[in-house]
């Protein structure tokens, strides 16, 4: 079975210790999120898992057939229009140009882009549209593992919910596993099967939370209640330093 | 191929947008005529007289010969600086040490007045093609070099990472990720390099050779033949405007459509 297994992972930048003794496993079809404060090494961890950074100590074993990445700021090529941007990953896999364009158009419509947007350059797109394109680009290659680097953080709540719903649908249809990092607890609770709490200086995992209810059944009430519950947790309070800023 | 067809397709619309430019040129000629009426024919010949002289000159084979000589020198000089400037600039941009070391050299090259280069070149190469070509090379090389260097230095690390995450093969990385960015820096540098080359060729010819447009200008000066001098200036400016607005600008517009 395909899985991503991280064992005793340590990482340094120069003399600064970024990550210490990280271990976890992501199985096929599961959604795992890593939450923690900004600057806690989340992005480094994701880059190590996806192979964008070289592993120094410990091991990352990735047996998934294919993977793709969606970034926080979209990272579209400014000189390519919407369709060509989406088709990029397909062309890199050696897909024929005409087929790649066709697939790109199909998935673009699925993600709520309209035909009149197809030839637009990224400079003419709103932040939300850019993020739709970025998602479409990552999912059109049908990865079996998807890495997400805080992809919803710049979106308004309506758009956030819409894209999250799309994501849940597609990951269910195609049986995609997702590893994603965020600092938004509600987002993590809505999407994840398992949440890892990463505490900073150096980044290490302090706690795991699991949610068994399937994602489609998690309504707002569930998310709010679980969020309220989790925000009472001693480790969460400590990790996000919620107590130090208490109003008197 | 598709790209050039698109340039041709958009060309009429581009030309049509040129009425404003033509109006401002006509206004300038009116001002020139006013100057002629104020200061007299010797100081500033009228536009009419200048264009009549130009018309006669353009029917003279000898003048075409001079134009060809100047064109030859300018193209060789500019061609050399384009090739060397682009290649060395790209190489320097990819290596931090090389770009650090090349900076002071570029400052010296840019800071040294072209007239000083002409003097040195006359001593080194004598009076002839080499002197002119050398001077053009040292004047427009640094402009193109810096353009290529900047283009490579400012490549976006985030986009590189994105390209890696999709496992783009090297040729796609170059064509789709690096090239458009570098080109957006290097192309304007080519345009300014060309403008510089065209100015320097006249100056170098005026001082260091006995043929070419620059030398004709020197002759016109010694004979106090202002209409010929002005007609020569019109040829120089006209050809530069042709290259810049009719050839380069449409290409630039098409290539940089994605910019805001």
């Amino acid at each position: 079975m395909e899985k991503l297994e991280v064992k005793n992972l340590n990482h340094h930048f120069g003399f600064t210790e970024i990550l210490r003794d990280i271990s976890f496993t992501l199985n096929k079809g599961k959604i795992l999120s890593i939450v923690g404060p900004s600057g806690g090494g989340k992005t480094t961890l994701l880059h190590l898992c996806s192979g964008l950074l070289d592993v120094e100590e410990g091991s990352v074993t990735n047996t998934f057939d294919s993977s793709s990445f969606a970034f926080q700021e979209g990272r579209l090529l400014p000189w390519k229009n919407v369709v060509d941007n989406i088709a990029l990953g397909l062309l890199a896999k050696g897909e024929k140009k005409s087929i790649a364009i066709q697939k790109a158009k199909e998935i673009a419509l699925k993600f709520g882009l309209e035909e009149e947007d197809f030839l637009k350059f990224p400079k003419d797109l709103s932040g939300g549209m850019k993020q739709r394109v970025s998602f479409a680009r990552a999912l059109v290659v049908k990865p079996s593992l998807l890495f997400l680097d805080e992809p919803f953080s710049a979106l308004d709540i309506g758009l956030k919910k819409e894209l999250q719903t799309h994501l849940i649908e597609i990951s269910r249809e195609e049986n995609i596993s997702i590893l994603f990092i965020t600092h938004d607890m509600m987002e993590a609770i809505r999407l994840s099967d398992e949440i890892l709490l990463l505490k900073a200086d150096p980044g290490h995992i302090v706690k795991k939370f699991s949610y068994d209810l399937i994602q489609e059944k998690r309504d707002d009430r569930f998310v709010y209640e679980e969020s309220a519950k989790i925000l009472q947790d001693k480790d969460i309070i400590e990790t996000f330093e919620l107590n130090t800023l208490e109003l008197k | 191929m598709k790209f050039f067809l698109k340039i041709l397709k958009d060309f009429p619309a581009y030309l049509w947008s040129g009425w404003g430019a033509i109006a401002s040129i006509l206004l300038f000629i009116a001002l020139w005529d006013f100057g002629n009426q104020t200061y007299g024919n010797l100081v500033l010949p009228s536009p009419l007289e200048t264009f009549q002289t130009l018309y006669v000159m353009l029917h003279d084979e000898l003048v075409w010969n001079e134009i060809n000589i100047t064109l030859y020198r300018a193209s060789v000089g500019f061609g050399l600086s384009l090739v060397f400037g682009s290649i060395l600039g790209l190489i320097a941009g990819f290596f931090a040490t090389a770009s650090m070391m090349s900076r002071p050299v570029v400052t010296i090259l840019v800071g040294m007045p072209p007239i000083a280069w002409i003097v040195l070149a006359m001593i080194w190469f004598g009076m002839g093609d080499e002197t002119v070509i050398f001077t053009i090379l040292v004047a427009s090389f640094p402009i193109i070099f810096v353009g290529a260097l900047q283009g490579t230095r400012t490549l976006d690390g985030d986009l590189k990472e994105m390209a890696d995450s999709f496992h783009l093969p090297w040729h796609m990385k170059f064509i789709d990720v690096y090239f458009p960015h570098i080109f957006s820096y290097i192309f304007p540098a080519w345009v300014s390099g060309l403008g510089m080359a065209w100015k320097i060729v006249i100056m170098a010819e005026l001082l260091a050779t006995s043929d070419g447009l620059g030398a004709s200008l020197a002759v016109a000066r010694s004979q106090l033949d202002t209409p010929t001098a002005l007609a020569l200036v019109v040829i120089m400016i006209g050809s530069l405007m042709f290259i810049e607005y009719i050839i380069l600008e449409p290409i630039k517009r098409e290539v940089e459509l994605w910019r805001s």
Side-chain angles (χ1 to χ4, degrees), chain A residues 59-191:
Chain A
S59 71
V60 171
T61 319
N62 183 354
T63 57
F64 283 101
D65 285 341
S66 59
S67 65
S68 68
F69 214 121
F71 298 90
Q72 186 176 355
E73 340 75 42
R75 300 200 188 174
L76 307 178
L77 293 174
W79 40 82
K80 283 191 175 287
N81 63 33
V82 166
V83 172
D84 286 340
N85 258 301
I86 297 175
L88 188 75
L90 288 172
L91 293 175
K93 279 185 12 182
E95 191 92 62
K96 249 182 78 183
K97 177 111 189 190
S98 54
I99 298 174
I101 297 287
Q102 191 53 40
K103 284 186 178 171
K105 283 180 179 168
E106 277 163 22
I107 198 158
L109 293 172
K110 222 185 216 175
F111 269 93
L113 291 154
E114 282 162 30
E115 230 159 285
E116 60 186 48
D117 302 327
F118 285 179
L119 296 180
K120 282 185 183 164
F121 287 103
K123 71 173 163 90
D124 299 320
L125 300 178
S126 66
M129 299 229 287
K130 279 185 201 159
Q131 210 52 281
R132 286 168 204 260
V133 176
S134 167
F135 266 96
R137 180 178 65 186
L139 284 166
V140 76
V141 294
K142 300 219 158 85
S144 46
L145 171 60
L146 179 64
F147 296 104
L148 298 176
D149 184 356
E150 306 197 26
F152 307 106
S153 60
L155 307 178
D156 66 68
I157 42 171
L159 206 55
K160 216 182 239 189
K161 204 167 168 189
E162 190 198 319
L163 283 184
Q164 286 170 355
T165 313
H166 274 311
L167 191 67
I168 292 170
E169 274 172 20
I170 291 185
S171 70
R172 188 76 69 209
E173 277 168 26
E174 313 272 347
N175 200 19
I176 296 174
S177 317
I178 300 176
L179 176 63
F180 91 109
I181 60 176
T182 177
H183 49 244
D184 181 342
M185 291 306 302
M186 299 222 307
E187 193 172 293
I189 290 169
R190 185 184 300 281
L191 295 174

Side-chain angles (χ1 to χ4, degrees), chain A residues 47 52 67-69 71 73 75-80 88-89 91-92 121 123 137-138 141, chain B residues 157-159 161-162 164-169 172 175-178 180-181 257-260:
Chain A
H47 284 188
L52 287 178
S67 65
S68 68
F69 214 121
F71 298 90
E73 340 75 42
R75 300 200 188 174
L76 307 178
L77 293 174
W79 40 82
K80 283 191 175 287
L88 188 75
L91 293 175
F121 287 103
K123 71 173 163 90
R137 180 178 65 186
V141 294
Chain B
D158 285 354
L159 288 183
E161 217 171 69
M162 185 278 292
D164 284 337
S165 83
F166 281 99
H167 310 290
L168 257 58
M172 270 186 80
I175 295 172
D176 294 332
V177 182
Y178 299 153
H181 177 89
L257 221 55
W258 54 273
R259 293 206 143 185
S260 34

Side-chain angles (χ1 to χ4, degrees), chain B residues 65-236:
Chain B
N65 202 19
E66 305 290 322
I67 293 177
N68 282 339
I69 290 172
T70 303
L71 267 182
Y72 164 76
R73 289 170 180 155
S75 350
V76 173
F78 175 68
L80 285 176
S81 34
L82 186 134
V83 171
F84 285 116
S86 306
I87 293 175
L88 292 177
L90 289 179
I91 294 173
F94 276 114
F95 301 101
T97 322
S99 63
M100 227 165 63
M101 283 177 66
S102 64
R103 260 193 71 179
V105 180
V106 168
T107 314
I108 294 173
L109 285 181
V110 174
M112 183 130 160
I115 199 88
W117 282 117
I118 295 177
V119 172
L120 283 177
M122 276 157 69
I123 298 173
W124 293 339
F125 303 108
M127 316 286 267
D129 282 358
E130 294 91 341
T131 301
V132 181
I133 291 170
F134 173 79
T135 316
I136 298 170
L137 182 63
V138 287
S140 65
F141 167 82
I143 299 175
I144 296 172
F145 180 85
V146 169
L149 179 86
Q150 292 286 19
T152 333
R153 294 302 294 162
T154 51
L155 281 172
D156 190 346
D158 285 354
L159 288 183
K160 263 191 236 175
E161 217 171 69
M162 185 278 292
D164 284 337
S165 83
F166 281 99
H167 310 290
L168 257 58
W170 66 268
H171 65 274
M172 270 186 80
K173 248 188 221 173
F174 186 77
I175 295 172
D176 294 332
V177 182
Y178 299 153
F179 179 74
H181 177 89
I182 293 174
F183 191 77
S184 73
Y185 276 80
I186 214 172
F187 190 77
W190 287 348
V191 175
S192 359
L194 184 68
M196 180 61 107
W198 196 234
K199 274 181 262 184
I200 295 292
V201 73
I202 305 292
M203 188 165 88
E205 281 181 345
L206 190 138
L207 291 166
T209 61
S210 52
D211 48 9
L213 286 177
S216 311
L217 200 62
V219 173
R221 182 200 62 94
S222 63
Q223 295 172 350
L224 276 183
D225 186 357
T226 351
T228 307
L230 272 182
L232 285 166
V233 171
V234 171
I235 294 179
M236 294 159 201

